[in-house]
């Protein structure tokens, strides 16, 4: 038996879809435990696994990095950081914790029953504990004003972040069903639900476990029994009273919602749209009419090979409904629904091409009319000018990629960063012998609606055998003149990468803890790491909520940090990417000057003159004479931009000149 603890194994072992991204579950994946002869009773999929031998020409992570051998522990693990100050760890609320670390505690069996796990005795005691704990895993973030919404497989926690260093819990919404990804728009909160223990009423009791097969017989591969009270799809809550969210709609989908993406249409102010990425098994038509898991040649209406689009009337969210099911994998020449495949992969047993039948995550960038979909075996590019009917305009694959997980655009739309969640987020994939092109970011150039591969980036520090580690969710940090992303790597911690030069990305800051357990791989680490209005927030799966701020290093100056902090937004759903606009303030000008000094694009004497003139203008409280001096410096900067050695420096010189023409304090 393959001992990698993948999403597919979890579904088989626990009758639930605890697939933290890999979701390599086929439509008829078994929801019941494997027969005894298929797995050793004492086998623990979280136990350390041997690392592969490095293929020729590939390198592994650095075992000499300070992060490689940190002290283990849950709340007392060793820590290492560069350019990041850890302000706070706020532990999960009690209601979102199993409340025991003992496999024989009755709470374990109670939770397994609520999850619908049948015949748990076929699972080892340590594995039973792990599966029960997974029911309380933290997931993704959304932000609005001074509020942070942290998804969890058990519901949502809402925090007051008006003082980030003193973040406080406002309320907890208990509503099991996983994966719990969240987004927010005005007075509406959206939550993804995929696991079969989700109930329409948010009840915690789940459903009765599937009965074990008769003695001597194998369990048939089938979804759990149909239940009229089961919910899998997208929940909608009214959060007008932030401390008392009210569910106002629950839109069912055939595969549930592993993730979802909020989409706004500039020409439609009355509605918002939700792109639903369902990655799990297809439910029976007896539970939801119209659902089919047949191959396209047997049923052209199959629930596979599509996404769903939900239309939500903002003034009447109770009327939300699925309005289209775009066939984004279709072959435009033949009309075949299964028109894309992974082109082959390095994963053992999956080396041959396989059809891509679902998207894991979709990031929309409405300002440029495009979306980037990370879709199992492919990265795809969608035209979303008509948000109800997105159309694929390009697709790529890569044999170094196991599972296309998520995507983000550079602010100017010239690059896309895709992530590969090799091992599904449940495996140790950052060890010294794990290739640095596997489980990494792939950076693509984007021009004329075409994606062109540029390079890979992977967390450079080696992690232990018991640390689940692979590329996961991140967001842009709004440093002007540079493309910088903060990114979560599960128990690999947080890495901040500069990908301004798409062919040479490099790390500029990091934070990491030691493994939760030195002997057994327990799921933990950062699910997401996002920048929001001057701070970085980490969704720590096992521990709680982390808050960080940047500190200056040789890679990032205080002026650059201050310029990033000058950008403020009222709402942030990372998969609904917003175009960053910088104010014409001198703090932004100083960031550009620092960058031009670092790259030596401008002689040292001119850098000194710029710094002195900016300082004089600030000290004089923007007196007309000092401002006029700044304005006189702009033309020479414009001229220098035409002869700059790099496109990045040319852009910086133009932007600096524009600020100096009309500066503000």
């Amino acid at each position: 038996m393959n001992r990698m603890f993948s999403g597919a194994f979890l579904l088989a072992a626990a009758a639930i879809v605890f697939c933290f991204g890999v979701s390599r579950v086929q439509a008829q994946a078994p929801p019941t435990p494997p027969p005894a002869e298929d797995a050793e009773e004492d086998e623990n999929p979280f136990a350390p696994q041997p690392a592969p031998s490095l293929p020729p020409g590939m390198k592994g992570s650095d075992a000499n990095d300070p992060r490689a051998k940190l002290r283990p522990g849950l709340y007392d693990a060793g820590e290492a950081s560069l350019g990041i100050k850890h302000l706070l760890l706020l532990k999960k609320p009690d209601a979102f914790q199993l409340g025991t670390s003992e496999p024989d505690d009755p709470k374990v069996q109670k939770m397994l029953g609520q999850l619908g796990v049948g015949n748990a005795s076929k699972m080892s005691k340590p594995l039973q504990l792990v599966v029960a704990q997974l029911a309380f895993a933290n997931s993704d973030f959304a932000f609005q004003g001074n509020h942070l919404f942290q998804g969890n497989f058990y519901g949502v926690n809402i925090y007051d972040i008006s003082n980030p260093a003193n973040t406080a819990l406002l309320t907890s919404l208990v509503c099991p069903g996983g994966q719990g990804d969240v987004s927010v728009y005005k007075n509406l909160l959206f939550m993804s639900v995929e696991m079969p223990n989700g109930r329409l009423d948010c009840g915690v009791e789940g459903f009765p476990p599937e009965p074990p097969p008769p003695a001597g017989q194998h369990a048939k591969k089938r979804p759990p029994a149909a239940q009229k009270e089961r919910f899998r799809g997208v929940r909608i809550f009214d959060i007008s009273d932030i401390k008392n969210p009210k569910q106002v709609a629950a839109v069912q989908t055939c595969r549930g919602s592993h993730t979802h993406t909020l989409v706004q249409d500039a020409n439609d102010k009355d509605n918002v749209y939700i792109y639903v990425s369902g990655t799990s098994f297809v439910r029976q038509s007896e539970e939801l009419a119209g659902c089919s898991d047949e191959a396209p040649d047997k049923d052209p209406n199959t629930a596979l090979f599509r996404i769903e689009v939900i239309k939500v009337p903002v003034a009447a969210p109770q009327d939300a409904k699925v309005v289209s099911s775009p066939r984004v994998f279709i072959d435009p020449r033949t009309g075949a629904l299964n028109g894309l495949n992974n082109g082959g992969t390095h994963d053992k047993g999956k080396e041959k091409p396989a059809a891509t039948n679902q998207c894991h995550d979709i990031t929309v960038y409405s300002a440029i009319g495009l979306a980037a979909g990370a879709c199992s075996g492919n990265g795809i590019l969608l035209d979303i000018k008509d948000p109800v009917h997105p159309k694929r305009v390009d697709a790529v694959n890569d044999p170094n990629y196991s599972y296309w997980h998520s995507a983000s655009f550079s602010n100017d739309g010239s690059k896309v960063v895709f992530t590969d969640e090799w091992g599904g987020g449940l495996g140790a994939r950052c060890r010294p012998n794990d290739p640095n092109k596997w489980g990494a970011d792939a950076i693509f150039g984007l021009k004329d609606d075409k994606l062109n591969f540029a390079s890979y980036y992977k967390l450079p520090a080696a992690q232990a055998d018991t640390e689940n580690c692979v590329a996961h969710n991140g967001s842009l940090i709004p440093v002007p003149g540079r493309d910088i992303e903060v990114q979560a790597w599960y128990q690999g911690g947080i890495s901040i990468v500069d990908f301004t030069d798409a062919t040479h990305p490099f790390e500029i800051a990091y934070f990491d803890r030691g493994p939760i357990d030195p002997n057994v791989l327990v799921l933990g680490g950062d699910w997401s790491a996002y920048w929001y209005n001057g701070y970085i927030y980490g969704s720590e799966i096992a521990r709680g909520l982390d808050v960080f701020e940047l500190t200056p290093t040789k890679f990032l100056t205080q002026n650059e940090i201050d310029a990033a902090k000058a950008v403020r937004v009222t709402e942030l759903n990372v998969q609904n990417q917003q175009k960053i606009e910088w104010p014409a303030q001198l703090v932004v000008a100083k960031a550009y000057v620092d960058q031009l000094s670092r790259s030596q694009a401008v002689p040292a004497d001119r850098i000194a003159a710029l710094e002195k003139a900016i300082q004089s203008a600030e000290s004089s409280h923007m007196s007309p004479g000092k401002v006029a001096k700044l304005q006189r410096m702009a033309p020479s900067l414009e001229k220098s931009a035409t002869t700059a050695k790099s496109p990045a420096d040319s852009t910086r010189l133009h932007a600096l000149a524009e600020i100096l023409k009309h500066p503000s304090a």
Side-chain angles (χ1 to χ4, degrees), residues 191-510:
M191 181 172 69
S192 287
V193 181
E194 184 175 54
M195 287 163 40
N197 69 315
R199 297 180 59 91
L200 283 166
D201 62 358
C202 285
V204 300
E205 65 269 32
F207 296 97
E210 295 297 299
Q217 295 185 21
H218 291 282
K220 293 182 179 179
K221 296 180 179 181
R222 63 182 187 277
Q227 302 283 350
K228 65 178 182 179
E229 295 301 318
R230 176 172 284 126
F231 178 73
R232 298 174 66 210
V234 176
R235 300 188 192 274
I236 305 176
F237 297 89
D238 187 323
I239 53 172
S240 299
D241 179 354
I242 195 68
K243 293 186 178 181
N244 189 28
K246 302 273 188 193
Q247 183 170 280
V248 294
V251 183
Q252 301 268 21
T253 62
C254 290
R255 299 182 78 173
S257 175
H258 194 68
T259 66
H260 72 266
T261 304
L262 178 75
V263 186
Q264 296 169 255
D265 182 356
N267 299 316
D268 182 0
K269 301 298 184 183
D270 297 327
N271 303 285
V272 291
Y273 298 87
I274 302 293
Y275 286 0
V276 182
S277 297
T279 64
S280 185
F281 63 88
V282 178
R283 63 212 302 185
Q284 312 98 310
S285 58
E286 293 87 351
E287 187 170 279
L288 183 62
C291 294
S292 166
D293 62 1
E294 295 285 0
D297 58 345
K298 293 184 178 180
D299 185 355
N301 295 315
T302 178
L304 306 175
F305 304 98
R306 73 186 193 194
I307 62 172
E308 269 80 40
V309 179
I310 298 173
K311 182 178 181 179
V312 184
V314 177
Q318 67 275 10
D319 296 331
K321 62 182 180 181
V322 175
V323 293
S324 69
S325 299
R327 296 292 189 180
V328 295
F329 310 116
I330 197 167
D331 186 329
R333 300 164 299 176
T334 66
L337 303 185
N338 53 344
L340 291 180
N341 65 65
N342 63 14
T345 175
H346 58 76
D347 264 3
K348 186 176 181 181
K350 300 181 181 295
E351 296 89 349
K352 295 181 180 180
T356 294
N357 70 31
Q358 41 89 359
C359 283
H360 178 277
D361 214 312
I362 299 171
T363 295
V364 300
Y365 196 0
S366 297
I368 61 174
L370 294 174
C375 302
S376 180
N378 299 91
I380 69 173
L381 195 66
L382 299 172
D383 182 325
I384 58 166
K385 295 181 181 66
D386 178 356
V388 178
H389 301 103
K391 296 179 180 179
R392 190 180 83 247
V393 294
D394 198 20
V396 292
N397 55 35
D398 185 342
N400 283 317
Y401 258 42
S402 170
Y403 189 82
W404 297 70
H405 175 274
S406 53
S408 33
F409 292 87
S410 62
N411 190 57
D412 65 359
S414 67
K415 309 179 188 78
V416 180
V417 180
F418 287 102
T419 66
D420 171 24
E421 198 181 32
W422 174 35
L426 297 162
R429 296 292 182 266
C430 302
R431 298 162 296 180
N433 285 343
D434 289 320
N436 57 5
K437 294 181 181 179
W438 297 1
D441 297 338
I443 303 170
F444 286 78
L446 173 57
K447 185 177 182 180
D448 299 328
D449 291 350
K450 294 295 180 184
L451 294 164
N452 294 287
F453 175 78
S455 67
Y456 297 104
Y457 171 79
K458 188 172 183 179
L459 179 75
Q463 302 291 304
D465 288 347
T466 61
E467 291 181 281
N468 55 304
C469 177
V470 76
H472 214 236
N473 294 340
S475 75
L476 297 185
I477 297 178
V479 173
R482 300 173 72 178
D483 294 316
I484 295 177
E485 181 168 36
V486 56
Q487 184 176 357
W489 291 79
Y490 289 113
Q491 286 198 69
I494 293 172
S495 178
I496 299 180
V497 57
D498 182 316
F499 64 103
T500 309
D501 179 350
T503 62
H504 295 94
F506 63 98
E507 186 178 58
I508 64 172
Y510 60 77

